[in-house]
Short mmCIF file of all heavy atoms in Angstrom, two decimals:
data_model
loop_
_atom_site.label_atom_id
_atom_site.label_comp_id
_atom_site.label_asym_id
_atom_site.label_seq_id
_atom_site.Cartn_x
_atom_site.Cartn_y
_atom_site.Cartn_z
N MET A 1 16.46 -10.62 36.54
CA MET A 1 17.22 -10.46 35.32
C MET A 1 16.45 -9.54 34.37
O MET A 1 15.27 -9.74 34.11
CB MET A 1 17.42 -11.83 34.69
CG MET A 1 18.44 -11.84 33.59
SD MET A 1 18.66 -13.51 32.99
CE MET A 1 20.37 -13.65 33.26
N ALA A 2 17.09 -8.52 33.90
CA ALA A 2 16.45 -7.55 33.01
C ALA A 2 16.43 -8.07 31.58
O ALA A 2 17.39 -8.66 31.11
CB ALA A 2 17.20 -6.23 33.06
N VAL A 3 15.32 -7.85 30.93
CA VAL A 3 15.17 -8.27 29.54
C VAL A 3 15.30 -7.03 28.66
O VAL A 3 14.65 -6.01 28.91
CB VAL A 3 13.80 -8.94 29.30
CG1 VAL A 3 13.63 -9.31 27.86
CG2 VAL A 3 13.65 -10.16 30.20
N ALA A 4 16.14 -7.12 27.67
CA ALA A 4 16.33 -6.00 26.76
C ALA A 4 15.09 -5.81 25.89
O ALA A 4 14.54 -6.78 25.38
CB ALA A 4 17.56 -6.23 25.89
N LYS A 5 14.65 -4.57 25.78
CA LYS A 5 13.51 -4.28 24.92
C LYS A 5 13.94 -4.27 23.47
O LYS A 5 15.02 -3.81 23.14
CB LYS A 5 12.93 -2.90 25.24
CG LYS A 5 12.13 -2.85 26.49
CD LYS A 5 11.51 -1.47 26.61
CE LYS A 5 10.59 -1.39 27.79
NZ LYS A 5 10.01 -0.06 27.92
N LYS A 6 13.08 -4.77 22.63
CA LYS A 6 13.33 -4.66 21.19
C LYS A 6 12.83 -3.29 20.76
O LYS A 6 11.70 -2.92 21.04
CB LYS A 6 12.60 -5.75 20.42
CG LYS A 6 13.17 -7.12 20.62
CD LYS A 6 12.45 -8.11 19.74
CE LYS A 6 13.03 -9.49 19.93
NZ LYS A 6 12.37 -10.47 19.08
N THR A 7 13.67 -2.56 20.11
CA THR A 7 13.26 -1.24 19.66
C THR A 7 12.84 -1.32 18.20
O THR A 7 13.46 -2.00 17.39
CB THR A 7 14.39 -0.21 19.80
OG1 THR A 7 15.50 -0.65 19.05
CG2 THR A 7 14.78 -0.03 21.25
N LYS A 8 11.76 -0.66 17.92
CA LYS A 8 11.29 -0.57 16.54
C LYS A 8 11.57 0.82 16.03
O LYS A 8 11.30 1.80 16.71
CB LYS A 8 9.80 -0.86 16.44
CG LYS A 8 9.45 -2.30 16.70
CD LYS A 8 8.02 -2.55 16.34
CE LYS A 8 7.72 -4.01 16.48
NZ LYS A 8 6.37 -4.33 16.06
N THR A 9 12.10 0.88 14.87
CA THR A 9 12.36 2.19 14.29
C THR A 9 11.17 2.62 13.45
O THR A 9 10.40 1.80 12.96
CB THR A 9 13.62 2.16 13.40
OG1 THR A 9 13.39 1.28 12.31
CG2 THR A 9 14.83 1.71 14.17
N ALA A 10 11.04 3.89 13.28
CA ALA A 10 9.96 4.43 12.45
C ALA A 10 10.22 4.13 10.98
O ALA A 10 9.31 4.12 10.17
CB ALA A 10 9.82 5.93 12.67
N ARG A 11 11.46 3.89 10.64
CA ARG A 11 11.81 3.68 9.24
C ARG A 11 11.04 2.53 8.61
O ARG A 11 10.51 2.66 7.53
CB ARG A 11 13.31 3.43 9.13
CG ARG A 11 13.76 3.20 7.73
CD ARG A 11 15.23 3.00 7.66
NE ARG A 11 15.60 2.72 6.30
CZ ARG A 11 16.76 2.29 5.91
NH1 ARG A 11 17.70 2.08 6.80
NH2 ARG A 11 17.01 2.05 4.66
N GLY A 12 10.97 1.42 9.29
CA GLY A 12 10.27 0.26 8.74
C GLY A 12 8.81 0.53 8.52
O GLY A 12 8.24 0.19 7.50
N ARG A 13 8.17 1.16 9.47
CA ARG A 13 6.74 1.45 9.33
C ARG A 13 6.49 2.49 8.25
O ARG A 13 5.53 2.40 7.50
CB ARG A 13 6.17 1.90 10.67
CG ARG A 13 6.12 0.78 11.69
CD ARG A 13 5.42 1.24 12.94
NE ARG A 13 6.18 2.26 13.64
CZ ARG A 13 6.98 2.03 14.67
NH1 ARG A 13 7.14 0.82 15.12
NH2 ARG A 13 7.60 3.03 15.26
N LYS A 14 7.37 3.48 8.17
CA LYS A 14 7.19 4.52 7.17
C LYS A 14 7.34 3.95 5.77
O LYS A 14 6.56 4.27 4.87
CB LYS A 14 8.21 5.64 7.39
CG LYS A 14 8.01 6.83 6.51
CD LYS A 14 8.98 7.94 6.84
CE LYS A 14 8.76 9.14 5.97
NZ LYS A 14 9.73 10.19 6.23
N GLN A 15 8.31 3.09 5.57
CA GLN A 15 8.50 2.47 4.27
C GLN A 15 7.32 1.60 3.91
O GLN A 15 6.91 1.53 2.76
CB GLN A 15 9.79 1.65 4.25
CG GLN A 15 11.04 2.48 4.23
CD GLN A 15 12.30 1.64 4.28
OE1 GLN A 15 12.26 0.47 4.61
NE2 GLN A 15 13.41 2.24 3.94
N ASP A 16 6.76 0.92 4.89
CA ASP A 16 5.63 0.04 4.65
C ASP A 16 4.41 0.85 4.21
O ASP A 16 3.66 0.42 3.35
CB ASP A 16 5.31 -0.76 5.90
CG ASP A 16 4.32 -1.87 5.64
OD1 ASP A 16 4.44 -2.53 4.58
OD2 ASP A 16 3.42 -2.07 6.46
N ARG A 17 4.21 2.02 4.78
CA ARG A 17 3.07 2.85 4.40
C ARG A 17 3.20 3.42 3.00
O ARG A 17 2.23 3.78 2.38
CB ARG A 17 2.92 4.01 5.39
CG ARG A 17 2.35 3.60 6.70
CD ARG A 17 2.05 4.82 7.55
NE ARG A 17 2.02 4.43 8.94
CZ ARG A 17 2.93 4.76 9.84
NH1 ARG A 17 3.93 5.54 9.50
NH2 ARG A 17 2.83 4.36 11.07
N ALA A 18 4.42 3.49 2.52
CA ALA A 18 4.67 4.07 1.20
C ALA A 18 4.43 3.08 0.07
O ALA A 18 4.56 3.42 -1.09
CB ALA A 18 6.10 4.60 1.12
N ARG A 19 4.07 1.86 0.41
CA ARG A 19 3.88 0.81 -0.59
C ARG A 19 2.49 0.21 -0.49
O ARG A 19 1.85 0.25 0.55
CB ARG A 19 4.88 -0.32 -0.36
CG ARG A 19 6.31 0.14 -0.25
CD ARG A 19 7.02 -0.12 -1.53
NE ARG A 19 8.44 0.22 -1.42
CZ ARG A 19 9.01 1.14 -2.16
NH1 ARG A 19 8.30 1.80 -3.03
NH2 ARG A 19 10.29 1.40 -2.05
N VAL A 20 2.02 -0.34 -1.60
CA VAL A 20 0.75 -1.07 -1.63
C VAL A 20 1.08 -2.51 -1.97
O VAL A 20 1.60 -2.78 -3.05
CB VAL A 20 -0.22 -0.51 -2.70
CG1 VAL A 20 -1.50 -1.31 -2.74
CG2 VAL A 20 -0.50 0.95 -2.48
N ALA A 21 0.80 -3.41 -1.06
CA ALA A 21 1.05 -4.83 -1.31
C ALA A 21 -0.15 -5.37 -2.09
O ALA A 21 -1.22 -5.58 -1.53
CB ALA A 21 1.23 -5.58 0.00
N GLY A 22 0.02 -5.56 -3.37
CA GLY A 22 -1.07 -5.97 -4.25
C GLY A 22 -1.64 -7.34 -3.96
O GLY A 22 -2.75 -7.65 -4.36
N LYS A 23 -0.91 -8.17 -3.23
CA LYS A 23 -1.39 -9.51 -2.91
C LYS A 23 -2.00 -9.60 -1.52
O LYS A 23 -2.48 -10.64 -1.12
CB LYS A 23 -0.25 -10.51 -3.05
CG LYS A 23 0.24 -10.59 -4.47
CD LYS A 23 1.05 -11.82 -4.72
CE LYS A 23 1.58 -11.75 -6.13
NZ LYS A 23 1.21 -12.85 -6.93
N GLN A 24 -1.96 -8.49 -0.77
CA GLN A 24 -2.56 -8.46 0.56
C GLN A 24 -3.96 -7.87 0.45
O GLN A 24 -4.14 -6.71 0.12
CB GLN A 24 -1.71 -7.60 1.51
CG GLN A 24 -0.34 -8.15 1.76
CD GLN A 24 -0.37 -9.43 2.57
OE1 GLN A 24 -1.26 -9.63 3.38
NE2 GLN A 24 0.60 -10.28 2.34
N ASP A 25 -4.97 -8.71 0.75
CA ASP A 25 -6.35 -8.28 0.59
C ASP A 25 -6.69 -7.03 1.38
O ASP A 25 -7.39 -6.15 0.89
CB ASP A 25 -7.31 -9.41 1.00
CG ASP A 25 -7.32 -10.55 0.01
OD1 ASP A 25 -6.98 -10.30 -1.17
OD2 ASP A 25 -7.66 -11.67 0.39
N TYR A 26 -6.18 -6.92 2.61
CA TYR A 26 -6.51 -5.75 3.42
C TYR A 26 -5.93 -4.47 2.84
O TYR A 26 -6.55 -3.42 2.92
CB TYR A 26 -6.07 -5.94 4.88
CG TYR A 26 -4.58 -6.07 5.08
CD1 TYR A 26 -3.80 -4.96 5.35
CD2 TYR A 26 -3.96 -7.31 5.01
CE1 TYR A 26 -2.44 -5.08 5.53
CE2 TYR A 26 -2.60 -7.44 5.20
CZ TYR A 26 -1.85 -6.32 5.46
OH TYR A 26 -0.49 -6.43 5.64
N GLU A 27 -4.77 -4.55 2.23
CA GLU A 27 -4.18 -3.36 1.61
C GLU A 27 -4.96 -2.97 0.35
O GLU A 27 -5.20 -1.80 0.10
CB GLU A 27 -2.71 -3.60 1.25
CG GLU A 27 -1.84 -3.74 2.47
CD GLU A 27 -0.60 -2.90 2.39
OE1 GLU A 27 -0.51 -2.00 1.54
OE2 GLU A 27 0.27 -3.13 3.23
N VAL A 28 -5.35 -3.96 -0.42
CA VAL A 28 -6.12 -3.69 -1.64
C VAL A 28 -7.49 -3.11 -1.27
O VAL A 28 -7.94 -2.15 -1.88
CB VAL A 28 -6.27 -4.98 -2.48
CG1 VAL A 28 -7.22 -4.76 -3.65
CG2 VAL A 28 -4.92 -5.45 -2.97
N ARG A 29 -8.14 -3.67 -0.23
CA ARG A 29 -9.44 -3.15 0.21
C ARG A 29 -9.31 -1.70 0.69
O ARG A 29 -10.15 -0.87 0.37
CB ARG A 29 -10.00 -4.00 1.36
CG ARG A 29 -10.76 -5.20 0.93
CD ARG A 29 -11.59 -5.79 2.06
NE ARG A 29 -10.84 -5.95 3.30
CZ ARG A 29 -10.20 -7.07 3.67
NH1 ARG A 29 -10.22 -8.12 2.88
NH2 ARG A 29 -9.57 -7.13 4.81
N TYR A 30 -8.26 -1.41 1.44
CA TYR A 30 -8.05 -0.05 1.94
C TYR A 30 -7.89 0.93 0.78
O TYR A 30 -8.53 1.98 0.75
CB TYR A 30 -6.81 -0.01 2.84
CG TYR A 30 -6.41 1.40 3.22
CD1 TYR A 30 -7.08 2.09 4.21
CD2 TYR A 30 -5.37 2.05 2.56
CE1 TYR A 30 -6.73 3.38 4.55
CE2 TYR A 30 -5.01 3.34 2.89
CZ TYR A 30 -5.70 4.01 3.89
OH TYR A 30 -5.35 5.28 4.21
N GLU A 31 -7.04 0.58 -0.16
CA GLU A 31 -6.79 1.47 -1.30
C GLU A 31 -8.05 1.61 -2.15
O GLU A 31 -8.36 2.68 -2.66
CB GLU A 31 -5.62 0.95 -2.12
CG GLU A 31 -5.01 1.97 -3.03
CD GLU A 31 -4.42 3.16 -2.30
OE1 GLU A 31 -3.79 2.98 -1.26
OE2 GLU A 31 -4.60 4.29 -2.81
N SER A 32 -8.79 0.53 -2.29
CA SER A 32 -10.02 0.54 -3.05
C SER A 32 -11.05 1.48 -2.42
O SER A 32 -11.67 2.30 -3.09
CB SER A 32 -10.58 -0.89 -3.12
OG SER A 32 -11.83 -0.90 -3.74
N LYS A 33 -11.19 1.37 -1.12
CA LYS A 33 -12.14 2.23 -0.40
C LYS A 33 -11.69 3.69 -0.45
O LYS A 33 -12.50 4.59 -0.63
CB LYS A 33 -12.25 1.77 1.05
CG LYS A 33 -13.30 2.46 1.85
CD LYS A 33 -13.41 1.85 3.23
CE LYS A 33 -14.48 2.58 4.04
NZ LYS A 33 -14.61 2.03 5.37
N LYS A 34 -10.39 3.91 -0.32
CA LYS A 34 -9.84 5.26 -0.31
C LYS A 34 -10.04 5.97 -1.65
O LYS A 34 -10.38 7.15 -1.69
CB LYS A 34 -8.35 5.18 0.02
CG LYS A 34 -7.64 6.49 0.12
CD LYS A 34 -6.19 6.25 0.52
CE LYS A 34 -5.40 7.52 0.49
NZ LYS A 34 -4.00 7.30 0.82
N THR A 35 -9.85 5.23 -2.76
CA THR A 35 -9.94 5.84 -4.08
C THR A 35 -11.31 5.71 -4.72
O THR A 35 -11.59 6.36 -5.72
CB THR A 35 -8.89 5.24 -5.03
OG1 THR A 35 -9.11 3.84 -5.13
CG2 THR A 35 -7.49 5.51 -4.55
N GLY A 36 -12.14 4.82 -4.19
CA GLY A 36 -13.46 4.60 -4.77
C GLY A 36 -13.44 3.71 -6.00
O GLY A 36 -14.40 3.66 -6.76
N LYS A 37 -12.36 3.01 -6.21
CA LYS A 37 -12.23 2.10 -7.35
C LYS A 37 -12.39 0.66 -6.88
O LYS A 37 -12.31 0.36 -5.70
CB LYS A 37 -10.85 2.26 -8.01
CG LYS A 37 -10.53 3.66 -8.45
CD LYS A 37 -11.42 4.10 -9.58
CE LYS A 37 -11.07 5.52 -10.01
NZ LYS A 37 -11.90 6.00 -11.07
N SER A 38 -12.55 -0.25 -7.82
CA SER A 38 -12.69 -1.66 -7.46
C SER A 38 -11.35 -2.25 -7.05
O SER A 38 -10.29 -1.71 -7.38
CB SER A 38 -13.25 -2.46 -8.65
OG SER A 38 -12.27 -2.53 -9.68
N SER A 39 -11.41 -3.36 -6.34
CA SER A 39 -10.16 -4.01 -5.92
C SER A 39 -9.40 -4.54 -7.13
O SER A 39 -8.17 -4.54 -7.14
CB SER A 39 -10.45 -5.14 -4.93
OG SER A 39 -11.28 -6.11 -5.51
N MET A 40 -10.10 -4.93 -8.17
CA MET A 40 -9.44 -5.40 -9.39
C MET A 40 -8.68 -4.25 -10.06
O MET A 40 -7.57 -4.44 -10.55
CB MET A 40 -10.47 -5.99 -10.36
CG MET A 40 -9.87 -6.82 -11.41
SD MET A 40 -9.03 -8.19 -10.61
CE MET A 40 -8.55 -9.12 -12.00
N ALA A 41 -9.26 -3.05 -10.04
CA ALA A 41 -8.58 -1.88 -10.61
C ALA A 41 -7.32 -1.56 -9.83
O ALA A 41 -6.30 -1.20 -10.41
CB ALA A 41 -9.52 -0.68 -10.62
N VAL A 42 -7.37 -1.72 -8.50
CA VAL A 42 -6.19 -1.47 -7.66
C VAL A 42 -5.10 -2.47 -7.99
O VAL A 42 -3.94 -2.10 -8.18
CB VAL A 42 -6.55 -1.53 -6.16
CG1 VAL A 42 -5.31 -1.44 -5.30
CG2 VAL A 42 -7.53 -0.42 -5.80
N LYS A 43 -5.47 -3.74 -8.11
CA LYS A 43 -4.48 -4.78 -8.43
C LYS A 43 -3.84 -4.54 -9.80
O LYS A 43 -2.64 -4.69 -9.97
CB LYS A 43 -5.13 -6.16 -8.40
CG LYS A 43 -5.44 -6.63 -7.00
CD LYS A 43 -6.03 -8.02 -7.02
CE LYS A 43 -6.35 -8.49 -5.61
NZ LYS A 43 -6.88 -9.85 -5.58
N LYS A 44 -4.65 -4.13 -10.76
CA LYS A 44 -4.12 -3.84 -12.10
C LYS A 44 -3.18 -2.64 -12.06
O LYS A 44 -2.15 -2.63 -12.72
CB LYS A 44 -5.26 -3.58 -13.09
CG LYS A 44 -5.97 -4.83 -13.52
CD LYS A 44 -7.05 -4.52 -14.53
CE LYS A 44 -7.78 -5.77 -14.95
NZ LYS A 44 -8.84 -5.50 -15.93
N ALA A 45 -3.53 -1.63 -11.28
CA ALA A 45 -2.68 -0.44 -11.16
C ALA A 45 -1.35 -0.80 -10.51
O ALA A 45 -0.30 -0.33 -10.95
CB ALA A 45 -3.39 0.64 -10.36
N VAL A 46 -1.37 -1.65 -9.49
CA VAL A 46 -0.14 -2.08 -8.83
C VAL A 46 0.74 -2.83 -9.81
O VAL A 46 1.95 -2.63 -9.88
CB VAL A 46 -0.44 -2.94 -7.58
CG1 VAL A 46 0.82 -3.59 -7.05
CG2 VAL A 46 -1.09 -2.11 -6.51
N LYS A 47 0.12 -3.68 -10.60
CA LYS A 47 0.88 -4.46 -11.58
C LYS A 47 1.47 -3.55 -12.67
O LYS A 47 2.59 -3.75 -13.13
CB LYS A 47 -0.03 -5.52 -12.21
CG LYS A 47 0.70 -6.54 -13.01
CD LYS A 47 -0.21 -7.70 -13.36
CE LYS A 47 0.61 -8.79 -14.01
NZ LYS A 47 -0.14 -10.00 -14.22
N LYS A 48 0.73 -2.53 -13.05
CA LYS A 48 1.15 -1.64 -14.14
C LYS A 48 2.24 -0.65 -13.72
O LYS A 48 3.23 -0.49 -14.42
CB LYS A 48 -0.08 -0.87 -14.65
CG LYS A 48 0.18 0.06 -15.77
CD LYS A 48 -0.14 -0.56 -17.07
CE LYS A 48 -0.01 0.47 -18.18
NZ LYS A 48 -0.17 -0.13 -19.46
N VAL A 49 2.07 0.02 -12.56
CA VAL A 49 2.99 1.08 -12.18
C VAL A 49 3.91 0.73 -11.01
O VAL A 49 4.74 1.53 -10.62
CB VAL A 49 2.24 2.40 -11.84
CG1 VAL A 49 1.51 2.91 -13.05
CG2 VAL A 49 1.34 2.24 -10.65
N GLY A 50 3.74 -0.45 -10.44
CA GLY A 50 4.57 -0.83 -9.29
C GLY A 50 3.80 -0.62 -8.00
O GLY A 50 2.64 -0.25 -7.99
N ASN A 51 4.49 -0.84 -6.87
CA ASN A 51 3.77 -0.81 -5.60
C ASN A 51 3.97 0.48 -4.80
O ASN A 51 3.59 0.54 -3.65
CB ASN A 51 4.17 -2.01 -4.75
CG ASN A 51 5.62 -1.99 -4.36
OD1 ASN A 51 6.41 -1.19 -4.84
ND2 ASN A 51 5.99 -2.90 -3.48
N VAL A 52 4.51 1.51 -5.39
CA VAL A 52 4.65 2.79 -4.69
C VAL A 52 3.26 3.43 -4.59
O VAL A 52 2.60 3.65 -5.61
CB VAL A 52 5.64 3.72 -5.42
CG1 VAL A 52 5.71 5.07 -4.74
CG2 VAL A 52 7.01 3.07 -5.48
N ARG A 53 2.84 3.70 -3.37
CA ARG A 53 1.47 4.16 -3.12
C ARG A 53 1.11 5.41 -3.92
O ARG A 53 0.02 5.50 -4.48
CB ARG A 53 1.27 4.42 -1.63
CG ARG A 53 -0.17 4.68 -1.25
CD ARG A 53 -0.37 4.74 0.24
NE ARG A 53 0.01 3.52 0.94
CZ ARG A 53 -0.77 2.44 1.05
NH1 ARG A 53 -1.97 2.44 0.52
NH2 ARG A 53 -0.35 1.38 1.69
N GLY A 54 2.00 6.36 -4.00
CA GLY A 54 1.73 7.60 -4.74
C GLY A 54 1.47 7.34 -6.21
O GLY A 54 0.55 7.90 -6.80
N ASN A 55 2.27 6.48 -6.81
CA ASN A 55 2.09 6.15 -8.23
C ASN A 55 0.78 5.41 -8.46
O ASN A 55 0.09 5.66 -9.45
CB ASN A 55 3.26 5.30 -8.73
CG ASN A 55 4.56 6.06 -8.74
OD1 ASN A 55 4.58 7.28 -8.63
ND2 ASN A 55 5.66 5.35 -8.87
N VAL A 56 0.44 4.50 -7.55
CA VAL A 56 -0.81 3.74 -7.69
C VAL A 56 -2.00 4.70 -7.59
O VAL A 56 -2.93 4.62 -8.39
CB VAL A 56 -0.91 2.64 -6.61
CG1 VAL A 56 -2.27 1.98 -6.62
CG2 VAL A 56 0.18 1.59 -6.82
N GLU A 57 -1.95 5.62 -6.63
CA GLU A 57 -3.06 6.56 -6.47
C GLU A 57 -3.19 7.49 -7.68
O GLU A 57 -4.29 7.80 -8.10
CB GLU A 57 -2.89 7.35 -5.18
CG GLU A 57 -3.12 6.50 -3.95
CD GLU A 57 -2.84 7.21 -2.65
OE1 GLU A 57 -2.43 8.39 -2.67
OE2 GLU A 57 -3.02 6.58 -1.61
N LYS A 58 -2.07 7.91 -8.24
CA LYS A 58 -2.12 8.74 -9.45
C LYS A 58 -2.74 7.97 -10.60
O LYS A 58 -3.55 8.50 -11.35
CB LYS A 58 -0.71 9.21 -9.83
CG LYS A 58 -0.18 10.31 -8.97
CD LYS A 58 1.22 10.69 -9.42
CE LYS A 58 1.88 11.64 -8.45
NZ LYS A 58 3.27 11.92 -8.81
N LYS A 59 -2.34 6.73 -10.77
CA LYS A 59 -2.88 5.89 -11.85
C LYS A 59 -4.39 5.70 -11.68
O LYS A 59 -5.13 5.81 -12.65
CB LYS A 59 -2.16 4.53 -11.85
CG LYS A 59 -2.65 3.54 -12.85
CD LYS A 59 -2.24 3.91 -14.24
CE LYS A 59 -2.67 2.83 -15.21
NZ LYS A 59 -2.47 3.25 -16.58
N LEU A 60 -4.83 5.45 -10.46
CA LEU A 60 -6.26 5.26 -10.21
C LEU A 60 -7.04 6.55 -10.40
O LEU A 60 -8.19 6.52 -10.82
CB LEU A 60 -6.48 4.69 -8.82
CG LEU A 60 -5.99 3.26 -8.62
CD1 LEU A 60 -6.04 2.89 -7.16
CD2 LEU A 60 -6.79 2.28 -9.46
N ALA A 61 -6.42 7.67 -10.11
CA ALA A 61 -7.10 8.96 -10.27
C ALA A 61 -7.31 9.29 -11.73
O ALA A 61 -8.29 9.92 -12.12
CB ALA A 61 -6.29 10.07 -9.60
N ARG A 62 -6.38 8.84 -12.60
CA ARG A 62 -6.48 9.12 -14.03
C ARG A 62 -7.54 8.26 -14.70
O ARG A 62 -8.12 8.66 -15.69
CB ARG A 62 -5.14 8.88 -14.72
CG ARG A 62 -4.18 10.01 -14.49
CD ARG A 62 -2.95 9.75 -15.28
NE ARG A 62 -2.25 8.66 -14.60
CZ ARG A 62 -0.99 8.35 -14.77
NH1 ARG A 62 -0.27 8.99 -15.64
NH2 ARG A 62 -0.43 7.38 -14.11
N LYS A 63 -7.75 7.06 -14.19
CA LYS A 63 -8.71 6.15 -14.83
C LYS A 63 -10.11 6.70 -14.69
O LYS A 63 -10.52 7.17 -13.63
CB LYS A 63 -8.67 4.76 -14.17
CG LYS A 63 -7.53 3.93 -14.64
CD LYS A 63 -7.67 2.52 -14.11
CE LYS A 63 -6.63 1.63 -14.69
NZ LYS A 63 -6.75 0.26 -14.20
N LYS A 64 -10.84 6.66 -15.74
CA LYS A 64 -12.23 7.12 -15.72
C LYS A 64 -13.15 5.99 -16.11
O LYS A 64 -12.85 5.11 -16.79
CB LYS A 64 -12.43 8.28 -16.69
CG LYS A 64 -11.66 9.51 -16.28
CD LYS A 64 -12.27 10.12 -15.06
CE LYS A 64 -11.41 11.30 -14.60
NZ LYS A 64 -11.89 11.97 -13.49
#
């Protein structure tokens, strides 16, 4: 009996990469390491500008 394969679309993964989950430690650590900012700064940026990765990175880049 043949089992149907579950197909995964790229859409779900692409959308997931475009967001920063502020409550997921691994996502916060990744963004923190990528930008050179603290994890607390990343969490604050997510809370302030939302979870769109581009907006979070822009916010972190402006902070001095």
